[in-house]
Amino acid sequence: MKYLLISLSAIFLFTACSGKKYFEPQDVSSNIELNKESMSSSIESMNKIGATLENKQIITDKGISSFELPENFEFLNVSSDGKIIATNYINKILIGDEERVVKDVVVAASVKDNKLALVYSNNTIELIDIKTNKTLYKEYLPISLANDTRITNPYFMGGLILFPTLNGKVVIVSAATNESVKNISVDPDSEFNNIISLNVVESTQTLIVASPNKVVSISPKEIIAKNYEVRDIIVKNNDVYVATIDGQIIKLTPSLVEVAKKKYKYAKIHALAFSDSLYAVESQGFLINLNQDFTDDRIYKFSFDNEDRMIAIGNKIYYGSKYITLP
């Protein structure tokens, strides 16, 4: 009986493994020049806009820093005047060279014009005057027990401060009065619903907000929402690009009209990046390059360990202890 159970277990395991489907493109090229370089350390943690290496150097849109964060601190954001914002995930944040004691665990932060906007792990949001250390605005929101790790930072937009919460909302606070002027429910019902991306299309002053399950366009005229299971999302010029869990790559207008779409069967997209055109990194070791209107694509072999942490910033893709610059 014992041997029968072992045999049956082996059959079930084999069946489960053999049933897995993987992205297997027919036409793969190696004809791409990728400037591959090594980093001094591997990626320890990351968010949508940057990462912390194990040696405490950081990665931002400026590249890899020459300085190191203090021990136990991890990168969160860059202030409007270029200061690095970091958290120790206990009771302190770092703004440039200044350590500040905070009342709870900070998971997201932004600074502009001496105003510090914070999101805490218990889903409390707070606006602080840095000079006086006075709380200008504070709101206790419902605790979110399950969060996607892609937590995004508050955003200063003209005279408004946008707080992306951990329970699927954006709280908009006036910078003039320090009062809440609007709450927008992006994805209030899903289990994992914290805001994972917040971008502005400058030409139309449209805010593009995403949770793991939804993309929302917020403009002075209207609010439009569409359901997508989001693997990654980027905004480039006047276009919004979304990669979904089921292998789709979609190009949208700021009002979320689908302009072009391409589906790659069984593909698992790790990250989207943009150089002169759109690139997508696929988990089985492929780099997909799409032209402007998605009428032509090229797929290149791109070897990497898909267990490594990966982040795409601009035309660079950082993974493990290496990075490439896209042509």
Side-chain angles (χ1 to χ4, degrees):
M1 184 67 179
K2 174 183 176 183
Y3 296 108
L4 176 61
L5 289 173
I6 292 172
S7 299
L8 287 173
S9 298
I11 291 170
F12 290 143
L13 180 62
F14 176 77
T15 304
C17 292
S18 63
K20 287 184 178 179
K21 302 294 186 179
Y22 298 100
F23 178 55
E24 295 179 324
Q26 299 298 314
D27 188 12
V28 179
S29 173
S30 59
N31 187 28
I32 185 172
E33 292 186 13
L34 297 174
N35 181 17
K36 182 183 290 187
E37 298 188 44
S38 295
M39 298 188 291
S40 57
S41 187
S42 295
I43 297 173
E44 179 181 62
S45 65
M46 61 189 188
N47 60 18
K48 184 65 178 171
I49 63 166
T52 307
L53 301 182
E54 290 175 354
N55 67 356
K56 294 303 174 183
Q57 288 181 300
I58 65 168
I59 302 169
T60 68
D61 59 357
K62 305 295 183 186
I64 303 168
S65 70
S66 57
F67 65 87
E68 299 174 6
L69 290 174
E71 193 65 28
N72 299 321
F73 279 86
E74 294 181 21
F75 171 83
L76 284 180
N77 202 357
V78 181
S79 70
S80 61
D81 58 356
K83 293 177 181 176
I84 300 302
I85 307 171
T87 179
N88 68 351
Y89 288 109
I90 303 174
N91 64 343
K92 290 181 180 179
I93 62 167
L94 184 73
I95 305 173
D97 297 327
E98 178 192 359
E99 286 188 16
R100 297 178 63 92
V101 176
V102 288
K103 300 169 185 175
D104 214 315
V105 177
V106 172
V107 295
S110 296
V111 176
K112 185 179 180 182
D113 298 334
N114 293 314
K115 288 188 175 182
L116 170 62
L118 300 173
V119 178
Y120 295 100
S121 61
N122 62 4
N123 205 24
T124 296
I125 59 175
E126 186 174 19
L127 184 65
I128 298 172
D129 185 313
I130 290 178
K131 286 187 175 181
T132 64
N133 207 33
K134 178 183 177 183
T135 295
L136 304 173
Y137 176 84
K138 193 169 188 177
E139 185 173 351
Y140 300 90
L141 296 157
I143 292 175
S144 178
L145 298 177
N147 295 308
D148 188 293
T149 57
R150 298 168 291 177
I151 296 172
T152 197
N153 292 300
Y155 191 92
F156 287 83
M157 181 180 175
L160 302 173
I161 305 158
L162 284 61
F163 287 88
T165 73
L166 303 182
N167 66 327
K169 294 183 179 181
V170 176
V171 177
I172 302 177
V173 174
S174 166
T177 64
N178 302 317
E179 295 177 347
S180 174
V181 294
K182 193 176 184 67
N183 284 8
I184 299 172
S185 293
V186 175
D187 189 11
D189 300 322
S190 300
E191 182 180 1
F192 293 89
N193 61 359
N194 59 280
I195 307 303
I196 62 171
S197 181
L198 196 158
N199 293 277
V200 173
V201 180
E202 297 290 350
S203 62
T204 58
Q205 282 298 288
T206 301
L207 182 68
I208 305 296
V209 186
S211 74
N213 310 288
K214 192 168 289 187
V215 179
V216 177
S217 167
I218 305 165
S219 72
K221 294 181 179 179
E222 57 188 350
I223 298 176
I224 303 167
K226 285 196 172 181
N227 293 325
Y228 294 109
E229 291 185 296
V230 179
R231 286 288 300 178
D232 198 11
I233 178 169
I234 61 173
V235 174
K236 183 68 178 179
N237 300 324
N238 294 323
D239 300 311
V240 181
Y241 298 94
V242 177
T244 64
I245 286 177
D246 64 351
Q248 293 185 85
I249 301 175
I250 306 162
K251 180 179 178 180
L252 305 126
T253 67
S255 55
L256 304 188
V257 175
E258 292 188 0
V259 176
K261 182 191 296 186
K262 198 93 171 177
K263 183 166 183 176
Y264 296 91
K265 195 172 182 180
Y266 306 127
K268 181 180 178 182
I269 306 298
H270 271 291
L272 295 175
F274 208 98
S275 183
D276 290 333
S277 52
L278 183 69
Y279 289 83
V281 181
E282 201 281 327
S283 67
Q284 294 304 301
F286 299 103
L287 189 63
I288 302 168
N289 180 213
L290 284 154
N291 68 347
Q292 178 70 15
D293 54 7
F294 286 24
T295 56
D296 183 47
D297 64 358
R298 296 187 180 185
I299 301 174
Y300 303 98
K301 192 65 184 171
F302 172 45
S303 298
F304 66 96
D305 184 347
N306 61 24
E307 296 297 319
D308 285 339
R309 290 185 173 91
M310 175 182 288
I311 181 172
I313 304 177
N315 68 337
K316 290 182 170 59
I317 299 171
Y318 301 86
Y319 57 101
S321 60
K322 298 181 177 64
Y323 73 94
I324 60 168
T325 302
L326 297 168

